[in-house]
Amino acid sequence: GTATSGYNGLGGGETTNITGTVTISETGSGNLTVSHLKNLTTGGTVNVTGGSSVYFYNDTLLLSTFNISAYSQSASVHNNSITAGNINIANGSGTAFNTSIQDNVYTGNVTYTQNSISSGHGFASVNNVYNGNLSVNMAGVDAVMSVLSGSTVNGNFAFNGASDNGSGSISGGL
């Protein structure tokens, strides 16, 4: 079967197993939390565009595409195993708080984009395993971004940013 969410809150404290594909589609200004969700069939998508805050915790997802973009407050992606052809996480230009990505295993090509123009609000990625290519883009003015600390990249790594776009830190993990 297919699980589809247009509201916040999937999964919970106990693991929810789905034998089919997972499709999560969310647009708008609310919050979305997905936790302890495990699907067993490759396919389906996660597409979250907009929203205030986005949280993915302790999930195992076998997808075609995983996309979180243009959120206005914060995002946390922690302790997940995500397999998808393309994995994209990009905050909105007015994101007011931090993006935290840690302790995940990704299989597929990952792209992070820091679009925020809010001074001092960061995008941090630590202790992740990337089984595929990793691209990091700093597009926001006054952006703060830290990637790779404690991480392993089993593929190519690219960091793209302009000198006037804030500060980036690339440390460890390679």
Side-chain angles (χ1 to χ4, degrees), residues 74-147:
S74 62
S76 294
V77 181
H78 294 188
N79 301 309
N80 299 289
S81 175
I82 299 173
T83 299
N86 294 300
I87 301 161
N88 303 297
I89 300 174
N91 59 8
S93 63
T95 299
F97 298 101
N98 294 326
T99 298
S100 174
I101 301 166
Q102 65 185 40
D103 301 315
N104 299 292
V105 175
Y106 296 110
T107 302
N109 296 320
V110 177
T111 301
Y112 296 144
T113 303
Q114 165 63 300
N115 290 310
S116 179
I117 57 172
S118 297
S119 180
H121 293 104
F123 195 115
S125 172
V126 298
N127 299 327
N128 296 296
V129 175
Y130 301 93
N131 295 311
N133 299 327
L134 172 61
S135 297
V136 177
N137 304 305
M138 285 192 51
V141 177
D142 291 332
V144 177
M145 183 171 239
S146 175
V147 295

Side-chain angles (χ1 to χ4, degrees), residues 52-55 71-76 95-99:
S52 179
S53 297
V54 181
Y55 306 105
Y71 49 90
S72 63
Q73 294 295 315
S74 62
S76 294
T95 299
F97 298 101
N98 294 326
T99 298

Side-chain angles (χ1 to χ4, degrees), residues 24-41:
I24 299 170
S25 180
E26 176 84 5
T27 59
S29 60
N31 298 327
L32 174 67
T33 300
V34 179
S35 67
H36 298 89
L37 191 65
K38 181 177 183 178
N39 76 297
L40 306 173
T41 302

